[in-house]
Amino acid sequence: MTMVGEPQNLIIAKAVGWNFTDFFLHVAPVSVPVLVCGLFTCWLVEKFKWFGYGTLLPTPVREVLQRFDEESRSKRTRQQKLAMIFQAIIGIWLIIALAFHLAEVGLIGLSVIILATSFTGVTDEHAIGKAFTEALPFTALLTVFFAVVAVIVDQQLFAPIIRYVLQAEPDAQLTLFYLFNGLLSAISDNVFVGSVYINEAKTALQSGAINQQQFEMLAVAINTGTNLPSVATPNGQAAFLFLLTSALAPLIRLSYGRMVWMALPYTVVLTTVGLLCVKITLIPFTQWMLQTGILTAH
């Protein structure tokens, strides 16, 4: 829904030239209905205990967690409380900095590390290193993804698909971009897929194959296509992949297959609703917002 929701949102927004408000308004015809249906799906699977949801926390486990929480609160020092307050403030800074492009993404991330370590009194490199240990398997997989996508871009393996899509009618282009992005994002990392496709769409704009308005609607189709169907597998979503490769996964018996199964209701609902919105509501709502002055034509 916003630029700071996913990494590819930032990449796509920068390629099109949208600010925080522009991004939200352009994507709203798809993202708002998807949000409503996603929340309803969340309630439904919990209510009827489908797909492994709705399991109650055992009373002994809850009591242990509650006792641990009470003990932690009672032992918490003033310094620890201040550290938590500063962490919250730094979190707010991260969102604001990303939303308003106050610096490049890498510099913002670096500023977060510096501020967090400075204001919480962490000065030992070994202590900082422990925070990155959990992410090492995840980082290794990301490196593999980078290598694969680099080969795809270098060999122009997406070029035939792009040419095929751009030969279709303007409204069909949106649906095709959404479907191709969704399919690839479900089996590969959505950030890389979104990056490749938005750059190809921008090339088509610069060559005169599409106009600015069509380019912006294609950006919405690419963005939603990489975000929604990608929840199908841990490959598509970095958060899923990080959890799967974490030390927590074996403790809670979280396997690849179980994640796919539990994500299935969300995959079906979000992908279907997103596709219908791209196909039915995106063009008329965008045109209406342009006519009423809510959106400004570039």
Side-chain angles (χ1 to χ4, degrees), residues 9-29:
N9 294 17
L10 280 167
I11 294 167
I12 291 169
K14 187 175 182 180
V16 185
W18 289 336
N19 58 31
F20 193 89
T21 306
D22 289 337
F23 185 95
F24 175 80
L25 291 174
H26 275 93
V27 180

Side-chain angles (χ1 to χ4, degrees), residues 209-252:
I210 56 175
N211 59 32
Q212 179 66 31
Q213 186 178 340
Q214 180 68 4
F215 172 58
E216 292 185 355
M217 287 193 290
L218 283 177
V220 175
I222 293 168
N223 187 76
T224 52
T226 53
N227 271 308
L228 302 176
S230 65
V231 302
T233 68
N235 302 48
Q237 279 289 337
F240 286 2
L241 198 61
F242 182 81
L243 182 59
L244 185 65
T245 56
S246 71
L248 184 65
L251 297 176
I252 59 175

Side-chain angles (χ1 to χ4, degrees), residues 112-253:
V112 168
I113 294 173
I114 294 169
L115 290 171
T117 53
S118 301
F119 285 105
T120 56
V122 178
T123 56
D124 184 12
E125 289 182 2
H126 296 288
I128 297 172
K130 290 177 183 177
F132 294 92
T133 304
E134 280 285 316
L136 289 176
F138 170 70
T139 308
L141 281 173
L142 280 187
T143 305
V144 174
F145 279 139
F146 266 121
V148 171
V149 173
V151 171
I152 290 171
V153 174
D154 186 63
Q155 298 297 318
Q156 297 183 339
L157 299 180
F158 282 170
I161 300 174
I162 300 294
R163 283 197 297 269
Y164 169 75
V165 171
L166 292 176
Q167 287 171 0
E169 294 297 319
D171 56 342
Q173 288 178 8
L174 301 176
T175 305
L176 291 171
F177 260 102
Y178 179 91
L179 290 172
F180 282 125
N181 274 272
L183 180 63
L184 288 167
S185 294
I187 58 175
S188 181
D189 188 81
N190 53 5
V191 180
F192 306 135
V193 174
S195 302
V196 171
Y197 269 89
I198 194 63
N199 288 329
E200 292 289 349
K202 193 166 187 177
T203 301
L205 171 69
Q206 293 167 345
S207 66
I210 56 175
N211 59 32
Q212 179 66 31
Q213 186 178 340
Q214 180 68 4
F215 172 58
E216 292 185 355
M217 287 193 290
L218 283 177
V220 175
I222 293 168
N223 187 76
T224 52
T226 53
N227 271 308
L228 302 176
S230 65
V231 302
T233 68
N235 302 48
Q237 279 289 337
F240 286 2
L241 198 61
F242 182 81
L243 182 59
L244 185 65
T245 56
S246 71
L248 184 65
L251 297 176
I252 59 175
R253 298 176 184 177

